[in-house]
Amino acid sequence: MKAKLGMSPIAWWNDDLVELSDDVSLEECLRQSRSAGFTGMEKGRRFPDDPDVMLPILKAADVTLCGGWFSGTLVEEDLAANKDRIAPMIELFKAVDAPCIVYGEVGRSIQGKREIPLAQKAKLSDDEMKAYARKVTEFGEWCAAQGMPLAYHHHMAAVVETEAELDAFMKHSGAGIPLLLDAGHLAFAGGNVLRAIDNHHARITHVHVKDVRMDVINKLDRTKQSFLDAVALGAFTVPGDGSLDFGAIVQKFADYGYEGWFVVEAEQDPKANPPLKMAQVGHKELMRVMTAAGYTVETQGFPKG
């Protein structure tokens, strides 16, 4: 079985908390992650939107674009508005041969609102979840028909946060919307990562290997503290530096024959947790558990020729 290891630039520059960002160029970010062993990088805010500009940068760094976040609003806006916004991204991702676009729901979400505590996140009724899941499926099918598949990202402080919400979303949605399984977000929400893989492995096409510091999470007052407060306090980190057993998690993916990207997405203070050092820690741990699970980790970055 083959696997690819990627990173998210959120370890270098945080889109929601500017104070958790380092003054590092895109080129330096890519150089650091590649030197740690990662062959892919998800799109961040310092990436160009022109493929003719992006491709030479990726080639020089010897990395590929392994995904990127789209802020979807289907829970409260119509398909047409979301199609209009994602269309340029689809063309960009096709031009640079990215594997997928990550769909993150921001409608009715409090993930970017530091003033709103975790306990006040929106919850969908059963009927709302059914309608939402059908709508996202239709959107996923449309995107795939344009030549770029989506991967749905369950997320803290969003309408699909808990394991029960994920189960309901998966029950009422269809194969047209594959799943991004994020170990850290599910653990933060109190879910069982291994059980979620058991339940939904057939539709998992992208994986975020985000680790968590459960001591930080367990001390949160969710009636007063927000998702961004948790990030600032250090709730997230890289594999090998947190609380999750990635040996068991990666083995579970291997048991189901998952092949593809494992992406380290670990937003934290880059001053206290230097991204290059954390990238090295994460890569070392992933190589250890991937080898034990029988994966061959691909080492080629930007395609040759």
Side-chain angles (χ1 to χ4, degrees), residues 25-42:
S25 67
L26 171 59
E27 290 80 2
E28 178 62 14
C29 167
L30 296 175
R31 187 197 68 77
Q32 289 186 20
S33 66
R34 187 67 180 94
S35 73
F38 293 95
T39 58
M41 180 66 78
E42 289 196 342

Side-chain angles (χ1 to χ4, degrees), residues 6-262:
M7 281 202 77
S8 166
I10 202 166
W12 285 266
W13 343 290
N14 192 298
D15 289 354
D16 295 310
L17 292 172
V18 177
E19 66 267 31
L20 297 190
S21 297
D22 208 352
D23 187 20
V24 174
S25 67
L26 171 59
E27 290 80 2
E28 178 62 14
C29 167
L30 296 175
R31 187 197 68 77
Q32 289 186 20
S33 66
R34 187 67 180 94
S35 73
F38 293 95
T39 58
M41 180 66 78
E42 289 196 342
K43 187 177 184 294
R45 58 184 164 87
R46 295 188 182 178
F47 276 72
D49 291 322
D50 182 341
D52 291 335
V53 179
M54 187 190 294
L55 280 169
I57 295 172
L58 294 175
K59 183 176 182 180
D62 191 32
V63 299
T64 61
L65 192 73
C66 63
W69 174 280
F70 171 74
S71 294
T73 56
L74 288 170
V75 76
E76 59 187 3
E77 287 193 313
D78 60 22
L79 284 163
N82 281 268
K83 288 177 180 179
D84 287 345
R85 286 194 299 108
I86 203 172
M89 193 171 181
I90 288 175
E91 294 310 309
L92 170 64
F93 275 44
K94 286 164 60 176
V96 301
D97 199 27
C100 66
I101 291 175
V102 174
Y103 181 97
E105 183 62 55
V106 299
R108 298 178 64 182
S109 172
I110 59 170
Q111 65 202 62
K113 299 177 180 179
R114 197 164 187 175
E115 71 279 9
I116 304 180
L118 284 160
Q120 293 183 22
K121 84 106 181 167
K123 294 179 174 62
L124 301 184
S125 68
D126 290 344
D127 287 343
E128 286 175 324
M129 181 64 81
K130 289 177 185 177
Y132 172 66
R134 289 193 294 264
K135 195 174 179 183
V136 178
T137 302
E138 183 178 349
F139 187 63
E141 291 169 345
W142 180 83
C143 289
Q146 310 311 303
M148 182 51 55
L150 300 181
Y152 186 89
H153 192 336
H154 57 97
H155 200 286
M156 283 299 302
V159 292
V160 178
E161 173 192 88
T162 66
E163 186 179 357
E165 289 169 336
L166 175 60
D167 289 344
F169 175 81
M170 295 299 285
K171 177 182 178 181
H172 297 299
S173 60
I177 181 66
L179 175 65
L180 183 160
L181 196 287
D182 188 306
H185 276 281
L186 196 60
F188 191 153
N192 184 306
V193 177
L194 299 181
R195 183 170 59 210
I197 299 171
D198 281 334
N199 289 337
H200 307 303
H201 61 90
R203 279 171 56 191
I204 296 172
T205 59
H206 206 60
V207 175
H208 278 179
V209 280
K210 181 197 293 285
D211 207 341
V212 292
R213 297 186 178 100
M214 288 307 300
D215 57 332
V216 174
I217 290 171
N218 291 336
K219 291 176 183 175
L220 291 171
D221 183 343
R222 300 191 186 207
T223 67
K224 296 179 180 178
Q225 291 173 293
S226 67
F227 172 69
L228 293 181
D229 287 334
V231 172
L233 288 168
F236 296 128
T237 187
V238 300
D241 186 55
S243 307
L244 299 184
D245 181 357
F246 277 97
I249 291 169
V250 169
Q251 184 62 58
K252 181 69 75 172
F253 280 113
D255 290 344
Y256 287 112
Y258 173 84
E259 291 188 294
W261 285 100
F262 290 85

Side-chain angles (χ1 to χ4, degrees), residues 272-285:
N273 303 275
L276 174 56
K277 177 186 175 183
M278 301 311 292
Q280 292 166 340
V281 170
H283 189 269
K284 181 180 179 180
E285 175 66 2

